[in-house]
């Protein structure tokens, strides 16, 4: 239930930052409901929940509007959302909402809480404009039109798809690598799949590599093709090594290295792993009288991230012009693939050990394809890939992989150890990882390991970070600093996300949040009892008490 305290907190936040944000939109609408309100409703329903404040003027310091006609605006909203006359509905797939009159500074305003739609009720769009021109998403304080690719992803997020099974025109068995085909058929010869087949042509059809006319399916071309890029030039892995922490920083060369990895998927994955490894540092560990050299990011983690990118990416026609991209920065490696999450997967259940893959034929071929010389795809459908990556990174004392999901894009971020501290100093310095960029709308919470191996890694702190001054154990100070950094980078952020993201007990998180609030390091968007309560850093120049 929206209450007055929550709205007051929200208005104060908007005044402090001087603009709307990703979770709140204020509009004057003094005498009638403005048409662009429906764009905001669509955006919140398609992206995440949010609050619309009507009768609040952004252009005059978010002051309540004298003369605001609350009753008329309510009637117009209820009619447009579809709860009045059916003929007056402005939206397809309208969201659930809560509407409350409130008095603020002696003037009545209207607060409307919009809930995000379930996956089977997206997209929400303006009927008069149609789905292509009337579907919006929320990015910061803006309502932006969705692209065709984003709309497709919303429409099919819970629907079985077969893009990987579509036949590729003008192809036949001559487009397949004969040696690889022979090896694969030999491996599969004892399987039930090839029971009773008369010849290789029927075997290829039975395995989903070709259709009945002998045309090669996309999945077959990608895994067994001589050169799939003859038909799909962009289905490559593009590896780029950047000199700084962002792309194209002033005064720096654009790339330190650039590799286009093409061929069948086993080749592209192997080449991409090698390209990344040669641009990473090697760390030496001494065990007794032996020295072990290993990449700063485990090779197994890199391979898993890259295999996942090609296996789970979107191969629908709107996306085959997009490549899987690997960006190597001074402090991290990012693996970005086309297509959002699919089949009920969300950022909250991504690492729950269940497997859902939009490309079932491709995945089957990848997991049954023979491996040569230790290289290849190493794919499996047990849902263990992400937990494996997390375990391997923690074992090395590295931060957990971070996962960012947009409507039509998915990104994995692997943090590198810092090179800014000389090796001799590593033993006396601890690492504190800080997120430095967010390029995709949504994110999955990250976890941070307390592994003692962190002791060998350096400190990485932003120059604008505030250093917390609290009495108590060094462990608690470190935990408070982690929470503060997490809030600063992801604000506004809820307590559940903080708890899960930092792998801290919920009760402990609540206690620490109260301490940070009391000390003035962070502020809340709503009263303590509100389910929409989120936290953000105190304004610049604030002096903690």
């Amino acid at each position: 239930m929206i209450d007055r305290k929550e709205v007051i907190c929200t208005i104060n936040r908007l005044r402090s930052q001087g603009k709307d944000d990703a979770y709140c939109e204020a509009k004057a609408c003094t005498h009638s409901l403005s048409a662009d309100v429906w764009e905001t409703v669509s955006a919140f329903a398609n992206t995440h929940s949010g609050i619309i404040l009507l009768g609040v003027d952004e252009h005059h310091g978010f002051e309540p509007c004298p003369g605001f006609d609350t009753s008329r605006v309510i009637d117009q909203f209820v009619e447009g959302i579809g709860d009045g006359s059916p003929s007056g509905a402005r939206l397809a797939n309208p969201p659930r909402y809560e509407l409350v009159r409130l008095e603020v500074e002696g003037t009545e305003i209207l607060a409307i809480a919009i809930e995000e739609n379930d996956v089977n009720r997206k997209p929400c769009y303006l009927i008069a404009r149609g789905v292509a021109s009337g579907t919006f998403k929320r990015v910061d304080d803006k309502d932006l039109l969705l692209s065709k690719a984003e709309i497709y992803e919303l429409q099919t997020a819970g629907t079985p798809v077969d893009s990987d099974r579509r036949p590729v025109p003008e192809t036949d068995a001559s487009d397949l690598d004969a040696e690889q085909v022979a090896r694969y058929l030999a491996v599969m010869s004892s399987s039930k799949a090839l029971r009773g087949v008369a010849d290789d042509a029927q075997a290829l059809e039975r395995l989903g590599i070709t259709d009945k006319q002998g045309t090669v399916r996309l999945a077959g071309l990608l895994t067994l093709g001589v050169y799939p890029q003859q038909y799909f030039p962009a289905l490559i892995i593009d590896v780029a090594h950047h000199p700084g922490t962002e792309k194209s920083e002033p005064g720096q060369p654009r790339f330190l290295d650039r590799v286009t990895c093409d061929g069948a998927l086993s080749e592209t994955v192997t080449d991409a792993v090698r390209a990344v490894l040669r641009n990473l540092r090697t760390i030496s560990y001494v065990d007794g009288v032996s020295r072990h050299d290993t990449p700063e990011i485990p090779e197994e983690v890199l391979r898993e991230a890259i295999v996942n990118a090609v296996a789970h990416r979107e191969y629908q026609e709107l996306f085959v012009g997009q490549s899987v991209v690997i960006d190597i920065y001074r402090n991290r490696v990012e693996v970005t693939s086309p297509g959002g999450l699919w089949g009920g997967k969300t950022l909250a259940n991504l690492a729950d050990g269940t497997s859902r893959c939009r490309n079932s034929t491709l995945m089957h071929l990848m997991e049954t394809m023979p491996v040569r010389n230790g290289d290849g795809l190493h794919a499996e459908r047990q849902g263990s890939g992400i937990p494996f990556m997390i375990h391997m990174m923690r074992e090395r004392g590295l931060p957990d992989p971070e996962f960012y999901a947009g409507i039509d894009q998915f990104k994995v971020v692997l943090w590198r150890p810092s090179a800014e501290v000389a090796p001799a100093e590593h033993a006396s310095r601890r690492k504190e990882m800080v997120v430095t960029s967010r390029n995709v709308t949504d994110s999955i919470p990250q976890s941070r390991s307390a592994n003692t191996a962190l002791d060998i890694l350096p400190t990485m702190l932003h120059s604008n970070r505030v250093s917390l001054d609290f009495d108590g154990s060094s462990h608690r100070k470190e935990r408070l600093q982690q929470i503060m950094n997490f809030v600063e980078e992801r604000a506004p952020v809820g307590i559940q996300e903080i708890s899960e993201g930092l792998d801290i007990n919920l009760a402990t998180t609540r206690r620490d949040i109260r301490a940070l609030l009391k000390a003035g390091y962070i502020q809340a968007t709503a009263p303590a009892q509100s389910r929409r309560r989120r936290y953000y850093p105190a304004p610049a120049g604030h002096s903690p008490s």
Side-chain angles (χ1 to χ4, degrees), residues 97-165:
Y97 68 96
E98 179 187 348
L99 184 152
V100 179
R101 296 172 182 251
L102 295 165
E103 184 176 304
V104 176
E105 297 173 4
T107 302
E108 190 172 67
I109 69 167
L110 184 63
I112 307 173
I114 304 296
E115 296 297 325
E116 180 182 356
N117 274 358
D118 295 333
V119 65
N120 61 351
R121 287 185 56 80
K122 292 181 180 179
C124 170
Y125 62 92
L126 279 64
I127 296 172
R129 300 190 197 178
V131 65
S133 301
T135 308
F136 293 83
K137 64 180 177 181
R138 189 72 174 181
V139 178
D140 194 26
D141 63 338
K142 298 176 178 60
D143 303 319
L144 304 180
L145 276 172
L146 267 64
S147 67
K148 289 182 180 179
E150 290 172 319
I151 292 171
Y152 173 84
E153 288 294 280
L154 289 182
Q155 291 174 326
T156 61
T159 306
V161 294
D162 59 357
S163 299
D164 61 325
R165 288 185 57 80

Side-chain angles (χ1 to χ4, degrees), residues 171-181 204 209-210 214 216-217 219-227:
T171 61
D172 57 30
S174 67
D175 290 288
L176 301 176
D177 184 321
E179 180 182 346
Q180 278 289 79
V181 169
L204 292 175
I209 296 166
T210 63
V216 182
R217 298 184 187 277
L221 185 68
L222 291 171
T223 51
L224 290 168
V226 175
Y227 191 66

Side-chain angles (χ1 to χ4, degrees), residues 121-433:
R121 287 185 56 80
K122 292 181 180 179
C124 170
Y125 62 92
L126 279 64
I127 296 172
R129 300 190 197 178
V131 65
S133 301
T135 308
F136 293 83
K137 64 180 177 181
R138 189 72 174 181
V139 178
D140 194 26
D141 63 338
K142 298 176 178 60
D143 303 319
L144 304 180
L145 276 172
L146 267 64
S147 67
K148 289 182 180 179
E150 290 172 319
I151 292 171
Y152 173 84
E153 288 294 280
L154 289 182
Q155 291 174 326
T156 61
T159 306
V161 294
D162 59 357
S163 299
D164 61 325
R165 288 185 57 80
R166 73 177 185 275
V168 180
E170 301 182 13
T171 61
D172 57 30
S174 67
D175 290 288
L176 301 176
D177 184 321
E179 180 182 346
Q180 278 289 79
V181 169
R183 293 179 72 247
Y184 184 51
L185 294 184
V187 168
M188 299 297 292
S189 60
S190 60
S191 72
K192 294 178 181 178
L194 297 188
R195 183 182 294 166
V197 298
D199 51 30
D200 286 356
Q202 188 177 4
L204 292 175
E205 177 197 335
R206 185 76 63 81
L207 292 169
I209 296 166
T210 63
D211 67 4
K212 290 184 179 297
Q213 289 70 44
T215 305
V216 182
R217 298 184 187 277
L218 178 60
L221 185 68
L222 291 171
T223 51
L224 290 168
V226 175
Y227 191 66
Q229 290 74 28
Q230 175 183 349
Y231 300 96
F232 300 100
L235 294 187
I236 61 171
I237 301 177
D238 184 355
V239 181
H241 185 191
H242 308 275
T245 58
E246 302 294 336
K247 292 183 180 180
S248 302
E249 291 185 348
Q252 298 276 8
R254 288 190 65 185
F255 306 110
L256 299 178
D257 190 20
R258 183 82 179 275
V259 182
T260 297
C261 306
D262 56 2
L265 286 184
S266 60
E267 297 174 294
T268 62
V269 169
T270 297
D271 290 347
V273 171
R274 290 172 179 169
V276 175
L277 288 176
R278 79 164 181 248
N279 284 285
L280 297 181
R281 296 180 296 273
T282 298
I283 298 176
S284 297
Y285 294 93
V286 177
D287 182 10
V289 296
S290 301
R291 192 182 83 168
H292 305 283
D293 294 333
T294 183
E296 57 182 317
I297 294 176
E299 179 177 348
E300 301 91 335
V301 172
L302 289 170
R303 185 176 295 275
E304 185 68 33
I306 296 169
V307 168
N308 283 346
V310 299
H312 296 283
R313 64 156 287 169
E314 180 64 75
Y315 285 101
Q316 199 269 347
E317 292 178 354
L318 287 168
F319 294 84
V320 292
Q322 301 179 40
S323 307
V324 170
V325 176
I326 303 176
D327 292 302
I328 306 166
Y329 297 100
R330 192 169 61 239
N331 59 349
R332 69 195 187 280
V333 175
E334 297 183 353
V335 182
T336 306
S337 55
L341 293 173
W342 180 87
K345 274 296 185 182
T346 67
L347 295 169
N349 65 22
L350 196 59
D352 65 359
T354 61
S355 176
R356 297 181 182 88
C357 182
R358 56 161 59 90
N359 305 307
S360 57
T361 298
L362 176 63
M363 178 60 83
H364 175 71
L365 292 173
M366 290 174 65
E367 66 181 346
T368 55
M369 196 68 56
V371 175
R372 288 189 295 185
N373 303 321
D375 294 330
L377 299 172
H378 302 286
E380 51 82 36
R381 279 188 285 189
Q382 295 297 316
S384 61
I386 289 177
F388 169 78
M389 292 168 64
I390 293 172
H391 172 76
M392 288 295 295
M393 294 292 277
R394 288 180 178 180
E395 194 174 71
R396 293 283 186 84
L398 296 169
D400 288 4
E402 296 177 8
F403 305 94
Y404 298 91
I407 295 173
D408 65 342
Q409 189 181 77
F410 186 79
K411 179 188 294 184
V412 180
V413 179
L414 304 171
W415 290 95
R416 303 173 61 181
S418 172
E420 297 174 3
V421 181
E425 299 177 77
H426 285 183
S428 62
R429 303 275 301 270
R430 290 185 67 87
K431 185 184 75 164
E432 182 171 358
M433 295 302 298

